Amino acid sequence: MADLDEHSPVFAIAVAAELAEMHPQTLRQYDRLGLVIPGRTRGGSRRYSMRDITQLREIARLGSEGVSLEGIRRVLELENENTLLRARVRDLERALADQLISRPGARVFAATATGAAVSLRAGARPQRNNAVVLYRPQR
């Protein structure tokens, strides 16, 4: 049996409607509007995940606060995009950490007087600049 997570489509529409405290027809309408699109079985039956249930509850909360369906659609779209971006950042951080662990000292940088980054060989030191700089504020 496959591992189940919050995105696994396991709930039939009747169960999902009960968990979300909504009528099954409301879930069908939200599916038609593209607000919450459940997975489908081979036979075409809707299957909702725990994430879908959470979104249905969020729709009900926003609706009770007077947010229009179009506004709710946009909020959900932004929340989903934010979730994807956070996952991407975690993946990139993990990849960076793996690189740093597998290749310590492979990337060493120094800053120039103008603020530009200059790559250095591992173990090399940047050249020192002993120039005196006179600062005169503009008037």
Side-chain angles (χ1 to χ4, degrees):
M1 184 171 181
D3 292 333
L4 297 178
D5 64 13
E6 70 174 356
H7 299 284
S8 300
V10 294
F11 301 109
I13 192 166
V15 176
E18 187 174 330
L19 290 171
E21 299 177 353
M22 295 178 172
H23 193 279
Q25 191 60 36
T26 305
L27 274 62
R28 289 183 189 94
Q29 181 67 24
Y30 290 164
D31 184 9
R32 281 191 288 275
L33 294 171
L35 291 176
V36 176
I37 302 170
R40 299 281 181 158
T41 64
R42 288 186 184 153
S45 297
R46 291 173 174 90
R47 288 292 184 262
Y48 291 84
S49 68
M50 206 53 223
R51 173 91 174 118
D52 294 332
I53 305 297
T54 302
Q55 285 192 323
L56 289 166
R57 290 178 179 164
E58 180 72 0
I59 290 169
R61 186 187 67 76
L62 291 168
S64 71
E65 292 177 1
V67 179
S68 69
L69 286 178
E70 181 57 29
I72 291 171
R73 186 194 62 74
R74 184 68 177 133
V75 167
L76 292 178
E77 183 180 283
L78 291 171
E79 285 179 352
N80 290 335
E81 183 178 351
N82 189 6
T83 300
L84 291 172
L85 290 172
R86 286 177 185 268
R88 179 69 176 141
V89 166
R90 275 193 307 275
D91 291 345
L92 292 171
E93 286 174 338
R94 196 172 302 118
L96 176 61
D98 291 345
Q99 282 294 314
L100 292 174
I101 290 170
S102 68
R103 297 176 34 197
R107 308 276 266 154
V108 179
F109 297 92
T112 66
T114 61
V118 179
S119 185
L120 299 175
R121 290 185 335 272
R125 293 187 173 271
Q127 288 183 332
R128 289 191 170 207
N129 185 346
N130 295 330
V132 176
V133 178
L134 180 61
Y135 173 74
R136 292 188 183 160
Q138 293 180 351
R139 294 182 189 185

